[in-house]
Amino acid sequence: GCDSTATLNLTINPSTTSSSTVTDCDSYSWNGTTYTSSGTYTYLTTNANGCDSTATLNLTINPSTTSTSSATACDTYTWNGTTYTTSGTYTYSTTNSNGCDSTATLNLTINPSTTSSSTVTACDTYSWNGTTYTSSGTYTYLTTNSNGCDSTATLNLTINPSTTSSSTV
């Protein structure tokens, strides 16, 4: 029936929370997990005092971009500031509007223009590609080859006149 005194020495350790906002390209690794899509993620653990610790990640994932195009051209083709003269597959790497990688691929076919030259000697006239020539000279004929590119034919023509003579005996 006597007084009893109890003393409590109490220490309250707080739980901890943290929050972070991250934007990354394609994927992001956080606390041992790799994330490939945007979202809000939490990680539960124990803090140094043995109390709950909750970390929150507000994640935005922006994708890298790729594109492929095909082109056919005569002699040369200019793409993203570079002039190409041979067929092939070319890539151009840059950064997209989200700051992530952007890779463009070009499948290019280069068809050549063609040229030809011939030398002809004829008497009086010469017909070539639908035109009749009566004087010597160098002539060109422009058309399109089987690939749809320019074709230039050059004719080096010498016209020798016929001669006549008359004699009275």
Side-chain angles (χ1 to χ4, degrees):
C2 298
D3 288 342
S4 173
T5 303
T7 302
L8 173 65
N9 296 310
L10 178 63
T11 302
I12 299 291
N13 291 320
S15 297
T16 54
T17 60
S18 66
S19 179
S20 59
T21 300
V22 174
T23 300
D24 207 353
C25 298
D26 299 323
S27 66
Y28 183 74
S29 292
W30 184 61
N31 292 313
T33 302
T34 299
Y35 300 93
T36 58
S37 59
S38 298
T40 300
Y41 302 97
T42 57
Y43 179 73
L44 301 174
T45 189
T46 304
N47 66 20
N49 294 321
C51 298
D52 290 341
S53 175
T54 303
T56 301
L57 172 66
N58 298 305
L59 180 61
T60 302
I61 294 292
N62 291 321
S64 295
T65 54
T66 60
S67 64
T68 300
S69 60
S70 296
T72 300
C74 297
D75 300 321
T76 64
Y77 186 77
T78 301
W79 184 59
N80 292 312
T82 301
T83 300
Y84 299 94
T85 58
T86 57
S87 297
T89 300
Y90 302 98
T91 57
Y92 179 74
S93 297
T94 187
T95 303
N96 66 22
S97 61
N98 293 322
C100 298
D101 291 341
S102 175
T103 302
T105 300
L106 173 66
N107 297 311
L108 179 62
T109 302
I110 294 291
N111 291 320
S113 295
T114 54
T115 60
S116 64
S117 180
S118 57
T119 301
V120 174
T121 301
C123 296
D124 298 323
T125 64
Y126 184 74
S127 291
W128 184 61
N129 292 312
T131 302
T132 301
Y133 299 94
T134 58
S135 59
S136 298
T138 300
Y139 302 96
T140 57
Y141 178 73
L142 301 175
T143 188
T144 303
N145 65 22
S146 62
N147 292 324
C149 298
D150 290 340
S151 176
T152 304
T154 301
L155 172 65
N156 299 305
L157 179 61
T158 302
I159 296 291
N160 291 324
S162 298
T163 56
T164 59
S165 64
S166 174
S167 58
T168 303
V169 177

